[in-house]
PDB file of all heavy atoms in Angstrom:
ATOM      1  N   HIS Z  77      -5.622 -17.897   3.968  1.00  0.00           N
ATOM      2  CA  HIS Z  77      -5.099 -19.321   4.290  1.00  0.00           C
ATOM      3  C   HIS Z  77      -4.052 -19.677   3.284  1.00  0.00           C
ATOM      4  O   HIS Z  77      -4.302 -19.561   2.052  1.00  0.00           O
ATOM      5  CB  HIS Z  77      -6.308 -20.245   4.281  1.00  0.00           C
ATOM      6  CG  HIS Z  77      -5.902 -21.538   4.806  1.00  0.00           C
ATOM      7  ND1 HIS Z  77      -5.671 -21.775   6.148  1.00  0.00           N
ATOM      8  CD2 HIS Z  77      -5.634 -22.772   4.297  1.00  0.00           C
ATOM      9  CE1 HIS Z  77      -5.415 -22.974   6.479  1.00  0.00           C
ATOM     10  NE2 HIS Z  77      -5.274 -23.710   5.329  1.00  0.00           N
ATOM     11  N   ILE Z  78      -3.014 -20.203   3.798  1.00  0.00           N
ATOM     12  CA  ILE Z  78      -1.873 -20.669   2.987  1.00  0.00           C
ATOM     13  C   ILE Z  78      -1.583 -22.153   3.230  1.00  0.00           C
ATOM     14  O   ILE Z  78      -1.283 -22.540   4.355  1.00  0.00           O
ATOM     15  CB  ILE Z  78      -0.593 -19.853   3.195  1.00  0.00           C
ATOM     16  CG1 ILE Z  78      -0.965 -18.432   3.341  1.00  0.00           C
ATOM     17  CG2 ILE Z  78       0.460 -20.171   2.093  1.00  0.00           C
ATOM     18  CD1 ILE Z  78       0.253 -17.457   3.766  1.00  0.00           C
ATOM     19  N   ASN Z  79      -1.662 -22.984   2.247  1.00  0.00           N
ATOM     20  CA  ASN Z  79      -1.407 -24.387   2.385  1.00  0.00           C
ATOM     21  C   ASN Z  79       0.032 -24.673   1.877  1.00  0.00           C
ATOM     22  O   ASN Z  79       0.629 -23.882   1.063  1.00  0.00           O
ATOM     23  CB  ASN Z  79      -2.350 -25.177   1.442  1.00  0.00           C
ATOM     24  CG  ASN Z  79      -3.707 -25.203   1.910  1.00  0.00           C
ATOM     25  OD1 ASN Z  79      -3.982 -25.202   3.160  1.00  0.00           O
ATOM     26  ND2 ASN Z  79      -4.657 -25.333   0.986  1.00  0.00           N
ATOM     27  N   SER Z  80       0.669 -25.713   2.448  1.00  0.00           N
ATOM     28  CA  SER Z  80       1.886 -26.298   2.061  1.00  0.00           C
ATOM     29  C   SER Z  80       2.826 -25.104   1.915  1.00  0.00           C
ATOM     30  O   SER Z  80       3.522 -24.895   0.840  1.00  0.00           O
ATOM     31  CB  SER Z  80       1.706 -26.959   0.666  1.00  0.00           C
ATOM     32  OG  SER Z  80       0.770 -27.991   0.804  1.00  0.00           O
ATOM     33  N   LEU Z  81       3.098 -24.482   3.011  1.00  0.00           N
ATOM     34  CA  LEU Z  81       4.068 -23.337   2.957  1.00  0.00           C
ATOM     35  C   LEU Z  81       5.451 -23.647   2.411  1.00  0.00           C
ATOM     36  O   LEU Z  81       5.969 -24.741   2.652  1.00  0.00           O
ATOM     37  CB  LEU Z  81       4.192 -22.804   4.381  1.00  0.00           C
ATOM     38  CG  LEU Z  81       3.007 -21.819   4.759  1.00  0.00           C
ATOM     39  CD1 LEU Z  81       2.853 -21.758   6.233  1.00  0.00           C
ATOM     40  CD2 LEU Z  81       3.141 -20.411   4.091  1.00  0.00           C
ATOM     41  N   GLU Z  82       5.974 -22.749   1.668  1.00  0.00           N
ATOM     42  CA  GLU Z  82       7.276 -22.867   0.995  1.00  0.00           C
ATOM     43  C   GLU Z  82       8.198 -21.697   1.504  1.00  0.00           C
ATOM     44  O   GLU Z  82       7.598 -20.676   2.011  1.00  0.00           O
ATOM     45  CB  GLU Z  82       7.150 -22.703  -0.498  1.00  0.00           C
ATOM     46  CG  GLU Z  82       6.309 -23.813  -1.069  1.00  0.00           C
ATOM     47  CD  GLU Z  82       6.148 -23.707  -2.595  1.00  0.00           C
ATOM     48  OE1 GLU Z  82       6.723 -22.618  -3.239  1.00  0.00           O
ATOM     49  OE2 GLU Z  82       5.427 -24.544  -3.180  1.00  0.00           O
ATOM     50  N   LEU Z  83       9.504 -21.837   1.378  1.00  0.00           N
ATOM     51  CA  LEU Z  83      10.443 -20.855   1.834  1.00  0.00           C
ATOM     52  C   LEU Z  83      10.075 -19.496   1.314  1.00  0.00           C
ATOM     53  O   LEU Z  83      10.230 -18.484   1.847  1.00  0.00           O
ATOM     54  CB  LEU Z  83      11.901 -21.178   1.573  1.00  0.00           C
ATOM     55  CG  LEU Z  83      12.380 -22.522   2.333  1.00  0.00           C
ATOM     56  CD1 LEU Z  83      13.840 -22.857   1.743  1.00  0.00           C
ATOM     57  CD2 LEU Z  83      12.434 -22.240   3.750  1.00  0.00           C
ATOM     58  N   GLY Z  84       9.721 -19.507  -0.028  1.00  0.00           N
ATOM     59  CA  GLY Z  84       9.494 -18.336  -0.662  1.00  0.00           C
ATOM     60  C   GLY Z  84       8.262 -17.512  -0.253  1.00  0.00           C
ATOM     61  O   GLY Z  84       8.017 -16.417  -0.742  1.00  0.00           O
ATOM     62  N   ASP Z  85       7.599 -18.153   0.511  1.00  0.00           N
ATOM     63  CA  ASP Z  85       6.287 -17.474   1.115  1.00  0.00           C
ATOM     64  C   ASP Z  85       6.721 -16.517   2.272  1.00  0.00           C
ATOM     65  O   ASP Z  85       5.847 -15.708   2.709  1.00  0.00           O
ATOM     66  CB  ASP Z  85       5.291 -18.439   1.584  1.00  0.00           C
ATOM     67  CG  ASP Z  85       4.717 -19.447   0.491  1.00  0.00           C
ATOM     68  OD1 ASP Z  85       4.714 -18.909  -0.577  1.00  0.00           O
ATOM     69  OD2 ASP Z  85       4.418 -20.569   0.845  1.00  0.00           O
ATOM     70  N   SER Z  86       7.847 -16.595   2.772  1.00  0.00           N
ATOM     71  CA  SER Z  86       8.364 -15.704   3.686  1.00  0.00           C
ATOM     72  C   SER Z  86       8.276 -14.278   3.340  1.00  0.00           C
ATOM     73  O   SER Z  86       8.805 -13.874   2.283  1.00  0.00           O
ATOM     74  CB  SER Z  86       9.791 -15.947   4.243  1.00  0.00           C
ATOM     75  OG  SER Z  86       9.902 -17.312   4.826  1.00  0.00           O
ATOM     76  N   ALA Z  87       7.607 -13.459   4.068  1.00  0.00           N
ATOM     77  CA  ALA Z  87       7.340 -11.986   3.565  1.00  0.00           C
ATOM     78  C   ALA Z  87       6.467 -11.338   4.748  1.00  0.00           C
ATOM     79  O   ALA Z  87       6.048 -12.054   5.711  1.00  0.00           O
ATOM     80  CB  ALA Z  87       6.523 -11.977   2.291  1.00  0.00           C
ATOM     81  N   VAL Z  88       6.165 -10.160   4.463  1.00  0.00           N
ATOM     82  CA  VAL Z  88       5.261  -9.465   5.327  1.00  0.00           C
ATOM     83  C   VAL Z  88       4.010  -9.310   4.490  1.00  0.00           C
ATOM     84  O   VAL Z  88       3.965  -8.849   3.390  1.00  0.00           O
ATOM     85  CB  VAL Z  88       5.782  -7.920   5.848  1.00  0.00           C
ATOM     86  CG1 VAL Z  88       4.698  -7.308   6.755  1.00  0.00           C
ATOM     87  CG2 VAL Z  88       7.027  -8.169   6.564  1.00  0.00           C
ATOM     88  N   TYR Z  89       2.955  -9.685   5.052  1.00  0.00           N
ATOM     89  CA  TYR Z  89       1.600  -9.637   4.460  1.00  0.00           C
ATOM     90  C   TYR Z  89       0.754  -8.485   5.035  1.00  0.00           C
ATOM     91  O   TYR Z  89       0.559  -8.451   6.156  1.00  0.00           O
ATOM     92  CB  TYR Z  89       0.823 -10.971   4.448  1.00  0.00           C
ATOM     93  CG  TYR Z  89       1.499 -12.110   3.760  1.00  0.00           C
ATOM     94  CD1 TYR Z  89       2.682 -12.744   4.354  1.00  0.00           C
ATOM     95  CD2 TYR Z  89       1.146 -12.410   2.481  1.00  0.00           C
ATOM     96  CE1 TYR Z  89       3.290 -13.752   3.583  1.00  0.00           C
ATOM     97  CE2 TYR Z  89       1.882 -13.388   1.711  1.00  0.00           C
ATOM     98  CZ  TYR Z  89       2.906 -14.067   2.292  1.00  0.00           C
ATOM     99  OH  TYR Z  89       3.575 -15.008   1.565  1.00  0.00           O
ATOM    100  N   PHE Z  90       0.267  -7.641   4.140  1.00  0.00           N
ATOM    101  CA  PHE Z  90      -0.547  -6.553   4.499  1.00  0.00           C
ATOM    102  C   PHE Z  90      -1.975  -6.594   4.035  1.00  0.00           C
ATOM    103  O   PHE Z  90      -2.156  -6.917   2.872  1.00  0.00           O
ATOM    104  CB  PHE Z  90       0.076  -5.223   3.961  1.00  0.00           C
ATOM    105  CG  PHE Z  90       1.309  -4.800   4.670  1.00  0.00           C
ATOM    106  CD1 PHE Z  90       2.495  -5.059   4.082  1.00  0.00           C
ATOM    107  CD2 PHE Z  90       1.258  -4.102   5.890  1.00  0.00           C
ATOM    108  CE1 PHE Z  90       3.758  -4.589   4.553  1.00  0.00           C
ATOM    109  CE2 PHE Z  90       2.468  -3.644   6.491  1.00  0.00           C
ATOM    110  CZ  PHE Z  90       3.647  -3.957   5.891  1.00  0.00           C
ATOM    111  N   CYS Z  91      -2.837  -6.473   5.010  1.00  0.00           N
ATOM    112  CA  CYS Z  91      -4.312  -6.266   4.699  1.00  0.00           C
ATOM    113  C   CYS Z  91      -4.693  -4.825   4.462  1.00  0.00           C
ATOM    114  O   CYS Z  91      -3.986  -4.019   5.158  1.00  0.00           O
ATOM    115  CB  CYS Z  91      -5.129  -7.066   5.682  1.00  0.00           C
ATOM    116  SG  CYS Z  91      -6.814  -6.853   5.498  1.00  0.00           S
TER     117      CYS Z  91
END
Side-chain angles (χ1 to χ4, degrees):
Chain Z
H77 188 76
I78 316 170
N79 289 328
S80 304
L81 279 157
E82 300 177 357
L83 293 177
D85 297 333
S86 294
V88 181
Y89 292 85
F90 287 99
C91 177

